[in-house]
Amino acid sequence: MKKTSKALVEEAMELVTTYTVEQARALHGDPGVQFVDVRDVRELEREGVIPGAIHAPRGMLEFWVDPESPYHREEFAHDKEFVLFCAAGWRSALATRTLMDMGLGRVSHIHGGFSAWKESGGPVAEKPTKKRVG
């Protein structure tokens, strides 16, 4: 193995903007900031969500951000700062670096992720359920 996952995360951390949970909480609700949850849907169901965050699973993020992708999502076409988070801050660090490489302007992540957010007393809600039609 040429690079470990730990080495990749450490490299990303040197390049990306990382907010403390306190800084992130101060940004929460700012209309110029969009929180992006890159955790797996099962984590959202089990642990809850940050109100107002959009869910973009790590496996689809690059496709949803890319305006040339058939999977592009309009939420990523706005001129906002995108603050990514996962459970502990590792996946979000890698995702932030990838989005920087893709040319997304203002992108950052939260040190300690959702776990640190929750421990700090940040607002948490249950994952919204989709209404079934039919």
Side-chain angles (χ1 to χ4, degrees):
M1 184 175 297
K2 293 186 183 216
K3 280 190 185 180
T4 64
S5 58
K6 181 180 178 184
L8 290 172
V9 170
E10 288 172 355
E11 286 177 9
M13 291 288 214
E14 291 177 12
L15 299 172
V16 303
T17 299
T18 302
Y19 289 127
T20 65
V21 72
E22 293 80 15
Q23 291 170 314
R25 285 183 63 181
L27 292 171
H28 187 245
D30 181 321
V33 176
Q34 178 61 64
F35 279 56
V36 180
D37 192 334
V38 299
R39 295 177 299 154
D40 180 87
V41 69
R42 292 170 294 233
E43 292 173 280
L44 279 64
E45 292 167 351
R46 184 176 58 243
E47 301 292 329
V49 299
I50 295 177
I54 58 175
H55 180 229
R58 181 66 189 97
M60 290 301 295
L61 184 64
E62 293 86 348
F63 301 103
W64 287 9
V65 169
D66 182 358
E68 295 182 25
S69 165
Y71 301 104
H72 176 69
R73 293 284 176 100
E74 182 63 28
E75 298 96 298
F76 293 102
H78 301 287
D79 183 26
K80 293 186 175 193
E81 177 176 4
F82 295 94
V83 178
L84 281 58
F85 64 93
C86 61
W90 301 349
R91 288 173 287 175
S92 59
L94 294 173
T96 300
R97 179 173 181 183
T98 299
L99 296 186
M100 287 173 57
D101 289 346
M102 291 177 73
L104 192 64
R106 298 178 297 148
V107 62
S108 55
H109 86 117
I110 302 173
H111 178 75
F114 184 77
S115 298
W117 177 273
K118 198 171 183 178
E119 288 172 17
S120 77
V124 174
E126 285 187 23
K127 178 188 173 298
T129 57
K130 291 186 179 186
K131 295 180 181 175
R132 294 186 182 205
V133 179

